[in-house]
Structures are given as structure tokens and as C-alpha cells.
Amino acid sequence: MEFAPPNLNLAHLRRKMDITNLTLYVTGQNNIEKGRFYMLWRDGNFIVIQAEPYCRPGITYDPAMPFSYYVEEYRAFNYLQEVIQTMLDTIVFDSENNWAHLVRQKDNTYRLVYTKKRSVHNCPIWTKAMDLEDIEVVTRIVDGLYWEGIYNGQEVDLYIGWEDVWGSYITCESRGQKLIQSLGLGHYSFELLAHVSKNGMIIGLMMEAYIGRGITLADRPAVFEAVADIQRHGVLLRFSRSDIIITKQGVRFASMSPAKKYQDQDALAEVAESAHWKTLADIFDHIDDDPFGGQLNISRSLKSASYVIPRLPSPGRPIAFTPEDAVIRWAWSIATSDQLCRSNFSALMQALYRSSKRSTVVRRDKRVKGGGGALLSPDDAADNTPSPVLVASVDQPLVITSWNRSSTTRRHPYARSASRRMLLAEENTSPVPIK
């Protein structure tokens, strides 16, 4: 279903209906100290609305508590969403202001006070800067940070620093990418194509699309060799399993924001013993327990958190009775229900509307069909029936057999005699070495 999580897709909506003036709720949060935040999108522009915080006195806020513990907080958050819904006709998206404060007045009505807020600070600009409006199409908005789009006919990913925390991430990612490129290690990262600006401010990054698959046990030699190479250049790179992606070009890492250069190799080796080698050992020792291991197009398997906010009827705009409008209102009613938290809403949408063969899954699978074999792990490359792999759905993770090899039997990566490790080993075809 294209109108609500987890499958909201702007490219599909454009083909089905006129999305001019359509307002999306992108993401939000209830920060008990800073306030309630709502990020909205319309016609290629976005704005963040900040309201007063909601905090019950005498309540200890613990993330480990069940969602039912925070029903009052969800109710308060959703109440202001409905207030914002009544203001859709007057919210300004296309001005130089990217922020608005929702102010409650003495008569308990609300008004918006607009301002310009910078969330990305001290970000080094070492590639070209591009205005957000110059990106041809935004095809999907996963959440506030992660967007997908098309530029010059090429699929790209956008990182948007929509508030202070993610603004800091944009700065760190830019610095990490610059470091990796300066050391000749750019083949381990996804290329930073441009710094994205809006109204003269840097707001994010445009990246090469994160297209590949998750790791399997068969990828262990290539991954260890890649990390060893990075360390040999004096860099410490912290990562998790989901940060490691296998592409047709080899092993790549989703984020370079943690990259740190060490001048003292002994100090680096001491920290890397845990950050690099213990982490890798833990990842591959438990790889068989990962239900998403080897999943194709892992970067496109993230579910969207966005949904459409329906406009209220007015004398000049009667209620529309199209099937699309009915579904939009239905999804909105679930999203603003205090009986459901956001994660439950996504689960409900996913359960009710499974991706069909005509959904985005097929479009994404077509990206790798031309050279699909290059994304297969060594044990899968020998399989003579590749067609089920090429059409694997993101809703049905690919089951990949793996070799039973324990990490305790592996030598330290620096002790490897071979300088070239084979990423793939497919029968009757030439293997693809890591460069």
C-alpha cells in the first residue's frame, strides 16, 4: 500500500494521482526536555514543527518500559498532529524558513512562528554543493534522515540532517568520507556525490545508492581482508553487521562517520583488537542466527515510516470519495490512535498489505539482474538455479546455506600470505578479486 507505512512510495503515488499539495508526516519524536517534533514534507520541501514538551510529573522515563506505559505520551503527541492537520492550508513550506514553533495562545488556540534553524554545523565541504531542489526526483522517504531519489538518471541516497543529532551525523560522515578518500580507501565506501543545501545552508549529503546484499559466512575472508587493509592505513572504523554490504565492486561499509586516523600504530592495534577483530569474530560466529543474512538489496529493504496527512473538508473542498482518499483517511486514523504506537502501526500495515510482484521489490531486483551473479556469495554462486535468487522479495529474506567454520580456527588477518582474496567463486566463471 503506497499511502502508509511500510510501503509509501512517492514515485508510485505520482503515477496514480496528483500529489501536488499532498502533505506527508515524515518522522517525529517526543523529547521530554526539548519538546515534541514533527517533520512534514510537501512538494519537495520540508519543515520541522516544534511544540512544547509533554512530561507527566513523577514519571520515570525508561526506554525499556513497554509501549503501553507511554499511552498518555502517545495521546499527547497525536493530539498535536491533529492540531497540525487543521493548519495544513496555512503551513508555509516554500519559504527560507525550515523551522516553526507551534505556540499555544491564551485562548487555547495555536499559531506557528517561523524561523530559520541550522542543524548541520562545521561540516567540511570538499565536494560540490547542490540545492535540494536540483535533485530531479525524490522517490521515497524512509524517515527524517534517509531519503531516496534520482539524479542525472542515477539512483542516489540522501542523508538529511533534519535536527541537531542527525545534523552532527552529517558532519561526521562528511569528515569520515574525506579521510577515507584522502588515503585511497574510497573503494570501501559509497561515494559522496555532493553536499546538499537549502536556502544557503548545508542540510545533508547525496550519496551513491546503497545497493548490495548483506554478508554471509562465505564472505568472511573478504571482509577480514578489507578491515585489515583499512587498519594498515592507520584507520579505525567501528561498524556493526548491518554496516557491511557486499556489492559488485566488493566489500563496502555503509557509514564512514566513525572513521578515525591514528598516528600511533601500537595504539591503533590495541583499540582495533576489540573494535575490529572481536567485533568481526562475534558477527561471523553468530551469522547463522541472522534472518537477514545475504538478503539482496539490503539498502532498499528499510520500511518507510511516512504517511499522508489528509486535508480536512471545507466549503470549497468537499470530501473526496476516491479509493485513494479513503485509504489515506483510514491509514491516518490508525496512525493517530492512542491504542497503537508507531512500530505497531508499521507492523499492522505490513501484515495487511504484503508486497506483490508489481510492487517496488520487482523494480529493485531489476537493478541487479544484469550482473546478479556478482552479488552472490561463494556458496550460492555454484548453484545452477539462480532465478529464485534474482526475484527474492524483501519480505521473504533469502535463505543462504553457509560453511560451518568457527572463528577460532582463523589466523589473524595480518598473518595472511595472500594479498588478493576472492570475493566470489562461481563454477564455470572467472572469480572476481578484491582490488
Side-chain angles (χ1 to χ4, degrees):
M1 183 177 65
E2 294 93 347
F3 305 102
N7 300 317
L8 190 143
N9 188 298
L10 292 172
H12 285 187
L13 285 180
R14 289 186 182 96
R15 290 194 292 267
K16 288 190 172 185
M17 60 186 295
D18 181 11
I19 68 170
T20 304
N21 294 324
L22 200 69
T23 304
L24 267 59
Y25 168 86
V26 176
T27 190
Q29 57 178 268
N30 183 16
N31 188 305
I32 61 175
E33 296 179 352
K34 297 181 179 179
R36 285 166 281 182
F37 297 85
Y38 307 82
M39 184 183 186
L40 310 180
W41 178 96
R42 182 192 295 167
D43 297 338
N45 298 299
F46 71 89
I47 190 169
V48 179
I49 298 177
Q50 179 179 0
E52 60 186 355
Y54 179 84
C55 179
R56 286 181 285 165
I59 297 296
T60 300
Y61 288 92
D62 183 357
M65 297 297 293
F67 288 119
S68 58
Y69 185 76
Y70 298 110
V71 170
E72 291 297 325
E73 283 70 21
Y74 282 112
R75 183 178 290 123
F77 186 85
N78 292 334
Y79 169 74
L80 288 189
Q81 277 199 91
E82 295 176 343
V83 170
I84 293 172
Q85 182 191 24
T86 67
M87 309 173 75
L88 290 184
D89 289 338
T90 61
I91 297 177
V92 180
F93 283 83
D94 56 355
S95 73
E96 65 177 11
N97 298 309
N98 62 342
W99 204 271
H101 295 273
L102 185 63
V103 179
R104 183 168 58 181
Q105 304 180 104
K106 292 182 179 179
D107 59 357
N108 284 330
T109 60
Y110 290 85
R111 67 185 180 94
L112 289 174
V113 178
Y114 294 89
T115 186
K116 189 174 181 179
K117 186 178 186 299
R118 183 187 296 271
S119 297
V120 180
H121 301 275
N122 303 318
C123 179
I125 304 175
W126 52 276
T127 63
K128 64 180 179 180
M130 176 182 300
D131 195 276
L132 180 62
E133 296 180 355
D134 294 333
I135 299 180
E136 296 172 3
V137 179
V138 174
T139 57
R140 202 165 72 104
I141 300 177
V142 177
D143 54 28
L145 172 71
Y146 182 53
W147 301 16
E148 297 170 5
I150 296 175
Y151 179 73
N152 282 344
Q154 174 186 358
E155 287 192 295
V156 295
D157 288 346
L158 304 176
Y159 283 161
I160 304 297
W162 69 278
E163 49 88 46
D164 291 339
V165 173
W166 292 118
S168 298
Y169 172 79
I170 297 300
T171 299
C172 292
E173 182 67 22
S174 179
R175 289 175 177 170
Q177 288 278 351
K178 183 179 180 180
L179 171 64
I180 292 298
Q181 294 292 337
S182 68
L183 296 174
L185 299 172
H187 54 285
Y188 293 124
S189 70
F190 291 86
E191 184 181 358
L192 197 165
L193 302 174
H195 290 74
V196 181
S197 65
K198 182 176 174 60
N199 296 323
M201 297 188 304
I202 295 297
I203 63 168
L205 306 172
M206 183 173 75
M207 308 288 298
E208 173 189 356
Y210 285 53
I211 296 177
R213 64 165 174 81
I215 58 173
T216 67
L217 190 58
D219 300 310
R220 181 185 178 116
V223 174
F224 266 77
E225 185 64 36
V227 175
D229 188 24
I230 291 173
Q231 184 172 330
R232 279 193 292 268
H233 285 77
V235 175
L236 182 78
L237 180 66
R238 299 183 185 275
F239 49 82
S240 63
R241 180 207 57 79
S242 60
D243 290 323
I244 309 173
I245 300 177
I246 305 300
T247 71
K248 290 184 288 187
Q249 291 74 32
V251 179
R252 297 165 110 177
F253 295 86
S255 176
M256 291 296 163
S257 61
K260 181 179 179 181
K261 184 73 167 68
Y262 278 74
Q263 300 299 330
D264 187 337
Q265 288 292 332
D266 292 335
L268 171 59
E270 182 178 353
V271 179
E273 190 63 37
S274 174
H276 285 173
W277 310 120
K278 184 178 184 302
T279 297
L280 284 178
D282 290 343
I283 288 174
F284 283 100
D285 281 349
H286 300 92
I287 197 72
D288 289 334
D289 300 328
D290 181 9
F292 302 104
Q295 178 176 306
L296 291 176
N297 293 323
I298 189 170
S299 66
R300 293 300 191 267
S301 65
L302 297 174
K303 302 301 182 181
S304 171
S306 307
Y307 50 84
V308 179
I309 304 178
R311 290 198 172 200
L312 294 174
S314 66
R317 186 177 57 247
I319 297 177
F321 292 98
T322 65
E324 292 82 7
D325 286 292
V327 174
I328 286 174
R329 290 194 297 271
W330 173 75
W332 166 258
S333 67
I334 295 177
T336 55
S337 169
D338 60 342
Q339 298 302 318
L340 290 173
C341 64
R342 276 294 294 115
S343 59
N344 286 343
F345 179 49
S346 293
L348 177 62
M349 296 298 101
Q350 186 174 0
L352 292 179
Y353 290 88
R354 295 294 183 184
S355 297
S356 68
K357 291 184 178 181
R358 295 188 179 184
S359 70
T360 57
V361 175
V362 172
R363 178 180 63 83
R364 293 168 192 161
D365 286 341
K366 288 180 179 178
R367 299 172 186 165
V368 296
K369 278 190 176 180
L375 293 179
L376 299 180
S377 55
D379 46 353
D380 288 321
D383 191 351
N384 293 323
T385 58
S387 56
V389 175
L390 292 177
V391 296
S393 167
V394 295
D395 289 330
Q396 300 294 331
L398 180 64
V399 178
I400 294 181
T401 57
S402 53
W403 304 335
N404 290 321
R405 297 183 180 178
S406 171
S407 63
T408 57
T409 62
R410 295 284 185 182
R411 294 180 296 171
H412 195 282
Y414 286 127
R416 296 184 185 277
S417 57
S419 60
R420 295 166 65 86
R421 290 291 170 186
M422 299 301 174
L423 177 61
L424 309 178
E426 185 174 356
E427 292 181 356
N428 300 325
T429 60
S430 300
V432 180
I434 292 181
K435 297 179 179 180

